[in-house]
Amino acid sequence: MTDQAKVRRHAERIRELVASVVRSQIKDPRLGMITITDARITADLRDATVFYTVLGDAAAQASTAAALESAKGMLRSTVGKALGLRHSPTLTFVLDDVQDQVKHIDDLLAAARTADAEVQRLAAKSSYAGDAQPYRVEEDDEDAEGAPAEDEDDDEPRTGERR
């Protein structure tokens, strides 16, 4: 079983190394405004996934992905030498679409706020269908004095006789 702290340290080190090499050693003109956001490595330390974001449109993202693919060998050898592992991990680059997800969540929250405002506006104009307190029972004058009330279920008036 591999130590999880060791895996996290290696992943953090890979992120730092790839960011440093991309910034200083890769001179590919296709490389756009790139930020290395995260790196994850498998427990056996053989495969690493590097997440990145690119400032720009889809064309800039595609050209940056091509530049990273062409520099993958140099990045892998640099990472392997720096980590000192028996096997250099293979690198896979994945476009991190956090900004798109943030925009989508913001749009959903704005739609929810609009729907809540509409419900509040409709609730302000509405009134109760019946009484404001439908369970309140008015007391009769006879009931308040202690006299028995007439049952509505009996068709005959009470005469005081027992049957």
Side-chain angles (χ1 to χ4, degrees):
M1 184 111 199
T2 306
D3 184 21
Q4 292 299 318
K6 180 180 176 183
V7 172
R8 279 194 305 268
R9 279 194 314 268
H10 281 306
E12 182 67 23
R13 184 72 177 132
I14 289 171
R15 185 186 66 79
E16 292 169 358
L17 286 168
V18 170
S20 173
V21 170
V22 164
R23 182 180 60 238
S24 64
Q25 294 179 8
I26 297 178
K27 302 297 182 195
D28 195 336
R30 298 177 293 178
L31 198 61
M33 296 288 294
I34 185 171
T35 303
I36 305 299
T37 57
D38 193 15
R40 296 186 185 146
I41 191 166
T42 58
D44 62 357
L45 304 176
R46 296 239 178 182
D47 297 312
T49 304
V50 179
F51 295 92
Y52 67 95
T53 60
V54 179
L55 186 64
D57 59 352
Q61 292 174 358
S63 65
T64 300
L68 287 173
E69 279 299 314
S70 67
K72 187 184 286 190
M74 183 191 54
L75 289 168
R76 183 178 179 195
S77 65
T78 304
V79 166
K81 288 175 188 172
L83 291 180
L85 297 174
R86 180 177 301 192
H87 300 283
S88 294
T90 59
L91 298 178
T92 305
F93 293 97
V94 176
L95 181 64
D96 196 1
D97 58 349
V98 170
Q99 298 300 325
D100 295 336
Q101 291 176 1
V102 167
K103 185 181 180 321
H104 178 68
I105 289 172
D106 285 343
D107 291 344
L108 290 175
L109 289 174
R113 274 190 228 103
T114 304
D116 285 348
E118 180 67 19
V119 167
Q120 290 295 328
R121 186 184 65 77
L122 291 174
K125 293 180 182 178
S126 65
S127 62
Y128 291 104
D131 293 335
Q133 176 53 276
Y135 299 109
R136 188 180 330 173
V137 178
E138 297 290 331
E139 299 273 338
D140 289 334
D141 291 336
E142 292 179 14
D143 289 339
E145 295 173 5
E150 241 183 71
D151 288 336
E152 295 176 8
D153 295 334
D154 294 339
D155 291 339
E156 303 173 344
R158 292 188 181 208
T159 58
E161 296 179 18
R162 290 188 143 183
R163 290 189 187 175

